[in-house]
Amino acid sequence: MMRVGIIGLGLIGGSMAKAYKRDPHWEVYGANRSKSIVDFALIAQAIDGELTHEILPTLDLLFLASYPQGVIDQLRRVAPMLSKNCVVIDLSGIKQKVCEACFPIAAEYGFTFVGGHPMAGTHNSGFKYSRADMFDGAPMVLVPPVFDDIELFDRLRTLLLPARFGRISAITAEEHDRRIAFTSQMAHIVSNAFIKSPTARQHDGFSAGSYRDLTRVAWLNPDMWAELFLENREPLLFELDTLLASLQKYRDALQNNDFDGLRALLDEGRRIKEEVDGR
């Protein structure tokens, strides 16, 4: 029997607990800042027990499902209690700050730390929205301490089997944060800014799929996302500046009543979308 511990039973941590609870070869233990969430997870049979100091040394795998600084603080706290055979994977939204702090901690105590980011989730947060199938078929991005350890990659794939990821890939922390600034963080900023139009309160009956698609992630956790944005400030500023420059071109075309220029901008975006999607 294998043992997994999860610190942080929110949307992602709770979903990870439920995913591993599906597998009869794993025992699942959870901890959360709010003890009531642990009690609720026990009632919901999402975990087998509370993750205590007595359980920590027996773990094969530990997930840290918190904000970046929370991950670092949690690892510092539990590191002396972990077995050298334990693999620790964080599930936070940025990797450079987390990995720079956590790799040395793992090296000091002799266990393995790997940065992780499951490419799944919803705009809702909290354990009550967690699902056992949250990660089924989804990509999982890993930032390992080294990139030439085949045995480690094989071990990680085996340890992650209960989550049923569709694809597991490895990348550097710097490249992860650069890409995530575009694919995730910018989408949240644009959605959150877009909904601030005064027209938003008057749109009833005049919205369809495009409105829902664009505004879905405007409903977010402001504490978490503010931390993620600031910790990934430089890549995010690059994406914001790029978008603002592009929007100015659309505005200029509209201001100048420039049909040809506006059409060219729209066609350029359409063609890039086709190229990105591989159509």
Side-chain angles (χ1 to χ4, degrees):
M1 183 70 71
M2 305 284 282
R3 284 187 167 182
V4 59
I6 302 163
I7 300 179
L9 294 173
L11 175 70
I12 299 301
S15 295
M16 198 63 79
K18 291 177 179 179
Y20 276 74
K21 196 68 171 66
R22 296 181 299 189
D23 192 318
H25 301 99
W26 285 84
E27 291 180 351
V28 183
Y29 296 87
N32 196 78
R33 182 173 56 184
S34 173
K35 178 66 163 56
S36 63
I37 298 300
V38 177
D39 294 337
F40 188 74
L42 282 165
I43 294 171
Q45 299 184 332
I47 58 176
D48 294 294
E50 183 177 2
L51 180 58
T52 63
H53 288 182
E54 292 72 30
I55 295 293
L56 280 166
T58 71
L59 295 179
D60 300 284
L61 176 63
L62 174 62
F63 288 113
L64 301 177
S66 182
Y67 301 174
Q69 188 59 50
V71 166
I72 297 167
D73 295 341
Q74 289 162 0
L75 189 63
R76 285 181 178 140
R77 178 172 56 84
V78 303
M81 293 174 269
L82 297 177
S83 161
K84 288 180 171 57
N85 293 321
C86 184
V87 172
V88 181
I89 302 176
D90 90 285
L91 303 174
S92 64
I94 61 166
K95 296 276 76 82
Q96 191 166 357
K97 173 183 176 177
V98 170
C99 290
E100 285 177 354
C102 292
F103 283 151
I105 297 172
E108 178 182 354
Y109 289 95
F111 58 84
T112 300
F113 176 84
V114 177
H117 192 176
M119 298 289 106
T122 73
H123 59 283
N124 295 307
S125 61
F127 179 81
K128 69 178 180 178
Y129 294 106
S130 61
R131 306 193 322 261
D133 63 352
M134 178 72 74
F135 312 111
D136 289 8
M140 175 59 157
V141 179
L142 298 176
V143 179
V146 294
F147 284 83
D148 58 354
D149 189 338
I150 301 301
E151 290 185 5
L152 174 59
F153 280 107
D154 287 343
R155 187 182 180 197
L156 289 170
R157 289 190 184 95
T158 299
L159 289 172
L160 291 170
L161 280 175
R164 302 180 187 175
F165 289 110
R167 176 188 178 195
I168 298 175
S169 58
I171 197 171
T172 66
E174 295 81 2
E175 184 63 16
H176 168 277
D177 289 359
R178 185 185 72 81
R179 294 188 191 183
I180 214 69
F182 173 73
T183 61
S184 175
Q185 294 179 343
M186 272 295 291
H188 285 78
I189 287 180
V190 171
S191 181
N192 195 264
F194 177 80
I195 201 65
K196 294 177 182 178
S197 167
T199 313
R201 292 174 174 81
Q202 306 162 3
H203 81 280
D204 187 41
F206 288 83
S207 62
S210 56
Y211 171 83
R212 291 192 297 271
D213 291 344
L214 185 54
T215 59
R216 181 179 65 84
V217 292
W219 200 94
L220 46 68
N221 181 327
D223 292 326
M224 180 184 76
W225 284 101
E227 180 177 342
L228 291 173
F229 292 160
L230 289 174
E231 292 297 346
N232 204 29
R233 184 169 57 252
E234 293 305 320
L236 194 51
L237 282 171
F238 169 80
E239 295 298 342
L240 270 172
D241 289 342
T242 300
L243 177 62
L244 290 170
S246 292
L247 289 175
Q248 186 62 50
K249 294 178 182 178
Y250 289 86
R251 190 188 190 287
D252 290 345
L254 286 167
Q255 179 71 39
N256 297 327
N257 200 29
D258 181 2
F259 175 88
D260 291 337
L262 183 57
R263 185 191 181 285
L265 288 169
L266 295 170
D267 190 53
E268 179 186 32
R270 178 192 60 78
R271 287 187 288 105
I272 292 174
K273 172 63 173 173
E274 288 182 350
E275 178 185 341
V276 169
D277 288 353
R279 293 181 180 178

